[in-house]
Amino acid sequence: MKTSRRARRMQRHYSRMHRPGGLNLVSLMDIFTILVFFLMVNSSDVKVMQNTADVPLPESTATKDAVESMMVQVIGQSILVQGREVARLDSIETGDKTVGGLAEELAWVRERRGEVPEQGHEVTIMAGRTTDYRLLRKIMQTCIDEDFRQVRLAVESAKEVGSG
């Protein structure tokens, strides 16, 4: 039997409107991509300081996280500020109370930062466990004299040492 024009039109309309819907995969993929990047960026809650293999750090049992600040490193015969050599250990006189090249670099950094906070600027000193205490004291005194009064010493976390 032949169907009428109206019946065919109603059948087309019904089949078009009652079709099962499909997933819009493009939008779903966009959401998952953003979610993956968000999780990758925010997954780490541990502060990791750049350490070179030349500096065997002392161990610590502190539970507070490290704070990023300006880094002063003692590596071999060099004193580095943010990875740039500012003084050599063999050029430091035994009678000096401060380190000359370090003082100049810290003064330059202090001038660039502008106003000094009430507690002073922050600095982290990274020196090996075999570093002479007199040298470490000179470096700390130089930092304090140049208004870097929040001095921290970088140490290796005890929980990281045991899990190697």
Side-chain angles (χ1 to χ4, degrees):
M1 173 165 167
K2 195 171 184 182
T3 57
S4 69
R5 183 181 275 176
R6 181 171 184 239
R8 285 193 309 254
R9 184 178 59 82
M10 285 176 57
Q11 196 174 20
R12 272 194 321 259
H13 176 72
Y14 182 81
S15 65
R16 220 181 356 218
M17 299 309 282
H18 292 35
R19 214 181 278 167
L23 286 177
N24 187 355
L25 291 180
V26 174
S27 299
L28 195 59
M29 288 173 56
D30 288 344
I31 290 170
F32 281 122
T33 303
I34 291 170
L35 184 64
V36 166
F37 283 121
F38 175 78
L39 292 175
M40 284 174 46
V41 169
N42 293 319
S43 66
S44 175
D45 60 351
V46 177
K47 299 259 185 202
V48 178
M49 293 183 179
Q50 293 294 331
N51 186 7
T52 59
D54 299 340
V55 184
L57 296 175
E59 295 178 15
S60 170
T61 57
T63 57
K64 290 177 80 175
D65 289 339
V67 177
E68 288 191 33
S69 63
M70 190 173 70
M71 184 70 64
V72 175
Q73 294 177 309
V74 180
I75 299 176
Q77 290 294 311
S78 301
I79 297 177
L80 308 165
V81 174
Q82 297 295 91
R84 194 167 67 90
E85 184 175 322
V86 295
R88 303 275 306 161
L89 298 184
D90 50 12
S91 66
I92 300 172
E93 300 293 326
T94 51
D96 292 344
K97 293 190 182 211
T98 60
V99 180
L102 178 60
E104 293 169 10
E105 181 70 17
L106 293 176
W108 182 79
V109 169
R110 185 189 66 231
E111 289 174 17
R112 294 206 39 156
R113 289 188 177 179
E115 186 177 333
V116 178
E118 185 178 325
Q119 305 90 356
H121 293 294
E122 296 178 357
V123 65
T124 302
I125 300 173
M126 184 181 288
R129 55 181 85 128
T130 59
T131 303
D132 184 35
Y133 177 72
R134 286 180 287 242
L135 172 64
L136 198 56
R137 191 174 62 192
K138 284 182 187 181
I139 292 172
M140 287 191 286
Q141 186 62 49
T142 304
C143 293
I144 291 170
D145 291 346
E146 296 300 328
D147 290 326
F148 285 83
R149 294 187 295 266
Q150 293 187 38
V151 178
R152 294 182 177 89
L153 298 175
V155 294
E156 192 167 357
S157 174
K159 58 186 167 193
E160 291 175 10
V161 173
S163 65

